[in-house]
Amino acid sequence: MLSFNSYGAERVNLSCTFYDSFNWTDSTTSELFPEKKSLVVFPDTKKYIYENITGYYSLSGNSIVFSHMWTNCKENEFCASYDYSLDITSRVWKQTFNTRKVGEKIFKKGLTHSGECVKVENLF
């Protein structure tokens, strides 16, 4: 129960769905099978919960932005990360998958999934 209290009183529940994917390697777009995922944001503390991952988000213009590593990023190992953004005005939701190969210093964009988030209410 302690963790619920640490998020503060204000909570925004969102249902987010990706509809298409852009491949940065060959500049192609493909449709995705829509799958709803839950995103919870706490505007008072700038915390988020997405796919059992918690952290802090930042504001960039009209967008909430956050990132997390998919793997532990050691210097001489393959490394992957996700960058997320949600435009709070247009509801556009994006996830970019980035990778860094062994020996490289810079992450390269792989895929960017795009979709939409809508505000939802809890059932009880």
Side-chain angles (χ1 to χ4, degrees):
M1 293 302 287
L2 180 62
S3 64
F4 289 111
N5 292 333
S6 68
Y7 290 119
E10 189 176 354
R11 166 189 186 118
V12 179
N13 298 307
L14 302 163
S15 178
C16 301
T17 306
F18 293 117
Y19 297 109
D20 60 50
S21 182
F22 179 78
N23 186 322
W24 289 91
T25 304
D26 60 12
S27 298
T28 58
T29 301
S30 57
E31 288 186 29
L32 295 174
F33 179 77
E35 182 180 344
K36 293 180 181 180
K37 304 240 178 176
S38 176
L39 171 64
V40 181
V41 294
F42 301 88
D44 293 341
T45 59
K46 291 192 171 49
K47 288 187 179 181
Y48 72 88
I49 303 172
Y50 181 68
E51 295 189 313
N52 296 319
I53 297 169
T54 62
Y56 291 92
Y57 65 83
S58 299
L59 293 174
S60 178
N62 285 338
S63 295
I64 291 172
V65 295
F66 60 92
S67 299
H68 72 265
M69 294 294 175
W70 180 59
T71 57
N72 291 330
C73 282
K74 296 180 181 172
E75 190 171 331
N76 293 318
E77 293 181 358
F78 173 81
C79 187
S81 70
Y82 289 102
D83 294 326
Y84 296 89
S85 68
L86 170 61
D87 186 304
I88 59 176
T89 303
S90 69
R91 303 184 312 204
V92 172
W93 171 235
K94 292 189 178 203
Q95 172 194 55
T96 300
F97 179 69
N98 309 293
T99 59
R100 184 186 73 200
K101 294 181 182 177
V102 175
E104 292 181 347
K105 295 186 185 260
I106 299 172
F107 280 88
K108 293 182 182 174
K109 290 181 181 180
L111 299 172
T112 296
H113 301 319
S114 299
E116 181 180 53
C117 291
V118 293
K119 191 173 178 179
V120 295
E121 297 297 324
N122 285 335
L123 293 175
F124 51 91

